[in-house]
Amino acid sequence: MTDVSPADANGSAPTEQPPVPGFRILAQYVRDLSFENPRAPDSLRMDGKPAIDMGVELNAQGRPDGLFEVDIKLSIKASTDTMKVFQVELLYGGLFQLTGIPEQDIEPMLLIECPRYLFPYAREIISRASADGGFYPPFMLDPIDFAGIYTARQQQQAQQGGAA
């Protein structure tokens, strides 16, 4: 055994390869879940489709251990002209480890790619909650364009910065 690095074919020491960009999902969890069906059983026998009001919030933050927490908050309110049908609020999170990601790409990774991986699980939880609340068919969220949300947020911040 020696303390000398092996040489490549040219006799020079090999160069270190930069780490390959990637991320790992270390944990996924429900931080908060609320389902309300205040007008049951009347809300279960309504005719037609209710109006849906949906909200999406994204949050990402670094931790002292070098990992990142990403949260998706989904709020869905279904109502008719005469009654509130149901309301679901879910705060679903994940713990991520990023490796080899350039500094300028960390924010888009956390607010676009990480939520893309969390969303199908959050969607299933909301669907199951609406089914358990007595609604058939269960409420299924349409896919969310996280890149579009991120771009809109960036444009809004740029406009606010320009106005200040």
Side-chain angles (χ1 to χ4, degrees), residues 8-24:
D8 66 10
N10 298 334
S12 62
T15 58
E16 273 195 41
Q17 296 293 327
V20 176
F23 73 100
R24 290 181 47 206

Side-chain angles (χ1 to χ4, degrees), residues 22-108:
F23 73 100
R24 290 181 47 206
I25 304 169
L26 302 177
Q28 293 181 195
Y29 45 87
V30 173
R31 191 179 300 263
D32 188 28
L33 174 62
S34 171
F35 179 84
E36 297 176 24
N37 187 359
R39 301 293 300 243
D42 295 334
S43 60
L44 303 176
R45 295 183 290 190
M46 58 173 228
D47 293 326
K49 291 185 177 184
I52 303 293
D53 181 27
M54 188 175 113
V56 178
E57 293 178 34
L58 301 173
N59 186 35
Q61 63 184 4
R63 295 169 27 123
D65 57 7
L67 303 176
F68 294 90
E69 291 180 42
V70 177
D71 291 328
I72 302 174
K73 182 177 182 181
L74 299 168
S75 303
I76 296 99
K77 296 176 185 174
S79 60
T80 65
D81 294 335
T82 59
M83 75 173 118
K84 181 187 215 180
V85 178
F86 69 84
Q87 180 172 343
V88 183
E89 291 184 2
L90 172 65
L91 183 57
Y92 192 74
L95 185 63
F96 293 85
Q97 178 184 36
L98 304 182
T99 55
I101 307 290
E103 186 73 29
Q104 72 273 11
D105 294 338
I106 289 177
E107 184 180 59

Side-chain angles (χ1 to χ4, degrees), residues 150-164:
Y150 178 77
T151 302
R153 178 190 264 184
Q154 294 299 98
Q155 290 172 350
Q156 182 182 28
Q157 288 175 349
Q159 288 174 353
Q160 290 174 350

